[in-house]
């Protein structure tokens, strides 16, 4: 194939051509629209989602504070830890909330921790136990994953809509070919009785 022939072949729907149908032009515009929405919209959706997730993680890091709590009920070193867990068990702890009140709650601690032992727990601005906020690195990775997922979801929707539109165009082309063939076919050749 001569140099540049591939590009001409791929762009034939855009050139004037006696074989080009209206559906071919519509399909070319649909393909252009799908790729434009995919590139621009996917990038925007990914960036907006990643930014929103990063802001949420930053708020968590700012709001949640570590506090020292005392173990109310100890966990013996010989305690049975269920398979698939991190080797930690739930127990009761007591800590002081930001308003000065004493709170009691349940959290995971390592086995072998005696009653009265200090452990570090995380609390939110209201003094409730909360999970530790993600580190900056963890937040960046999770924000990137969420941004990529949102871009992929948009891509799926856009390509699905494009495929549905192309399917409809193909159905219209097949119907038109069927109508044209029913007009042309009787004049071709002879039929056997």
């Amino acid at each position: 194939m001569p140099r540049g022939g591939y590009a001409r072949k791929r762009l034939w729907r855009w050139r004037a051509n006696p074989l080009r149908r209206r559906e071919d032009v519509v399909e070319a515009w649909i393909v252009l629209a799908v790729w434009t929405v995919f590139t621009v919209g996917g990038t925007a959706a990914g960036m907006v989602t990643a930014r929103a997730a990063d802001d949420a993680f930053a708020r968590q890091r700012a709001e949640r504070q570590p506090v020292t709590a005392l173990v109310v009920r100890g966990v013996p070193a010989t305690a049975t830890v269920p398979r698939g867990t991190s080797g930690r068990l739930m127990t009761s702890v007591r800590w002081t909330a930001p308003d000065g009140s004493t709170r009691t709650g349940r959290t995971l601690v390592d086995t072998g921790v005696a009653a009265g032992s200090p452990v570090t727990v995380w609390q939110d601005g209201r003094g409730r136990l909360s999970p530790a906020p993600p580190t900056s690195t963890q937040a960046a990775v999770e924000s990137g994953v969420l941004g990529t997922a949102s871009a992929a979801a948009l891509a799926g929707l856009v390509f699905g809509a494009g495929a549905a539109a192309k399917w409809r165009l193909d159905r219209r082309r097949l119907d038109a070919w069927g109508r044209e063939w029913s007009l042309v076919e009787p004049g071709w050749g002879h039929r056997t009785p």
Side-chain angles (χ1 to χ4, degrees), residues 45-58 60-61 134-151:
M47 290 179 72
V48 166
T49 302
R51 180 67 171 191
D54 199 39
D55 290 346
F57 295 139
Q60 287 178 2
R61 284 193 301 276
T135 65
S136 297
T137 304
Q138 291 169 334
V141 169
E142 195 164 341
S143 296
V145 168
L146 291 171
T148 302
S150 69

Side-chain angles (χ1 to χ4, degrees), residues 47-166:
M47 290 179 72
V48 166
T49 302
R51 180 67 171 191
D54 199 39
D55 290 346
F57 295 139
R59 272 193 313 277
Q60 287 178 2
R61 284 193 301 276
E63 179 186 272
R64 296 179 185 173
Q65 300 298 322
V67 65
T68 301
L70 298 176
V71 175
V72 175
R73 206 174 287 144
V75 178
T78 59
T80 304
V81 179
R83 289 187 184 266
T85 62
S86 61
R88 302 173 67 167
L89 292 173
M90 286 291 254
T91 192
S92 298
V93 294
R94 183 175 52 246
W95 73 98
T96 304
D99 63 3
S101 63
T102 301
R103 304 274 177 99
T104 304
R106 294 180 55 80
T107 190
L108 290 170
V109 297
D110 294 325
T111 57
V113 176
S117 299
V119 293
T120 301
V121 295
W122 289 83
Q123 65 180 344
D124 61 14
R126 297 180 185 154
R128 297 178 299 196
L129 284 180
S130 61
T135 65
S136 297
T137 304
Q138 291 169 334
V141 169
E142 195 164 341
S143 296
V145 168
L146 291 171
T148 302
S150 69
L154 180 69
L157 290 173
V158 169
F159 285 124
K166 187 178 179 315

